[in-house]
Amino acid sequence: MALVEIRDVFKSYWLHGKRIDVLSGVSLDIERGELVSLVGASGAGKSTFLHVLGTLDAPVAGSLHFDGTSVFELSDAGLARFRNRTIGFVFQSHFLLPEFTALENVAMPALVQRVDRAAALAQARALLERVGLGARLDHRPGELSGGEAQRVALARALVLQPALLLADEPTGNLDPATGEGIHQLLREVNRDLGITMVVVTHNEVLARSMPRQLRLQAGKVLRA
Ligand SMILES: Nc1ncnc2c1ncn2[C@@H]1O[C@H](COP(=O)(O)OP(=O)(O)OP(=O)(O)O)[C@@H](O)[C@H]1O
Ligand SMILES: [Mg+2]
């Protein structure tokens, strides 16, 4: 069984009485341990697809199974619990909390889940070392470079050991060399921690460095 089975997913938005069809029949399997890139024109629906895949937004029609569980049939509380345990997000902007240090930001999701404080901080420290920021634990986001802040955001997304990591243009605000560094890190995390990942990017060169490449076009997900 694939980790994720997406079947005939449709998603539309309604705005001022007009319907905007974004996803029109997306079907896809994502296997455990895969590293997938997703490209597509601006407005094609990449973020919309990632929101549905991350269960932040329900589709109009279609199904999403994780490990055989039909997630949109869970109760709201059940879905929130499932999402917290299973999915990590990295967005284009890092959304770090400015008043907290890098270490505290990374530990935060674990602290919110009432993981023991010492254990959460130890795990956060290990992850920050993993992303090359062992010497920046006490820096607040305003005291980090853009690439460093994005690496902190990646560490934070990993602290609860998600089965699936979703990254929406994690290198969009970075210069090309720093962006390549983040992609390199994503490949290492995928390889070393075995975390399944879907990475949206506008950068075709970086997209092609991923083992599996998808394109979102005309409401469908195709092989790139
Ligand atoms: N909340 C919303 N209400 C109405 N329309 C929306 C909403 N969110 C997105 N859209 C529309 O849906 C389409 C897909 O948006 P989406 O953000 O998924 O595109 P994208 O592929 O991520 O683009 P980009 O590369 O620019 O980030 C766009 O045409 C957008 O205008
Ligand atoms: Mg987007």
Side-chain angles (χ1 to χ4, degrees):
M1 191 190 296
L3 176 66
V4 191
E5 293 180 3
I6 303 148
R7 289 293 176 273
D8 300 320
V9 161
F10 287 75
K11 178 77 192 173
S12 307
Y13 295 107
W14 277 266
L15 198 65
H16 310 309
K18 263 181 59 184
R19 197 179 83 193
I20 301 156
D21 296 323
V22 181
L23 304 176
S24 354
V26 173
S27 294
L28 185 70
D29 282 1
I30 300 172
E31 304 292 338
R32 252 164 272 275
E34 273 201 296
L35 174 53
V36 182
S37 66
L38 179 65
V39 298
S42 178
K46 303 179 298 296
S47 295
T48 301
F49 175 67
L50 230 53
H51 281 104
V52 172
L53 183 54
T55 75
L56 291 168
D57 213 357
V60 175
S63 67
L64 191 65
H65 286 79
F66 266 85
D67 270 332
T69 300
S70 179
V71 290
F72 288 115
E73 290 180 49
L74 296 170
S75 65
D76 285 354
L79 185 60
R81 209 162 36 239
F82 159 83
R83 187 187 308 120
N84 284 333
R85 283 187 191 153
T86 315
I87 299 171
F89 293 95
V90 183
F91 297 99
Q92 178 165 3
S93 304
H94 53 68
F95 294 125
L96 297 173
L97 300 170
E99 65 276 35
F100 291 97
T101 66
L103 186 68
E104 290 163 341
N105 265 283
V106 174
M108 198 64 73
L111 295 172
V112 169
Q113 293 297 308
R114 300 204 188 85
V115 172
D116 167 72
R117 185 173 173 85
L121 291 173
Q123 170 77 347
R125 174 189 293 264
L127 280 167
L128 281 165
E129 284 166 1
R130 179 71 194 76
V131 301
L133 291 177
R136 295 288 184 274
L137 303 180
D138 299 329
H139 287 231
R140 291 193 170 78
E143 300 153 357
L144 295 166
S145 74
E148 287 171 348
Q150 203 49 301
R151 281 188 276 162
V152 174
L154 174 60
R156 178 183 55 182
L158 294 172
V159 77
L160 291 174
Q161 296 168 286
L164 178 65
L165 184 88
L166 302 176
D168 196 352
E169 295 193 53
T171 61
N173 286 326
L174 305 175
D175 65 84
T178 310
E180 168 51 28
I182 296 284
H183 274 241
Q184 177 65 35
L185 192 57
L186 290 172
R187 286 192 290 267
E188 287 171 17
V189 165
N190 167 258
R191 188 191 61 213
D192 299 346
L193 308 182
I195 293 177
T196 310
M197 288 187 196
V198 178
V199 181
V200 168
T201 179
H202 269 122
N203 185 321
E204 301 263 350
V205 177
L206 293 180
R208 278 196 292 275
S209 72
M210 302 291 184
R212 183 180 179 196
Q213 299 150 35
L214 300 174
R215 177 179 303 278
L216 189 47
Q217 200 175 328
K220 301 238 194 288
V221 171
L222 321 161
R223 266 172 64 180

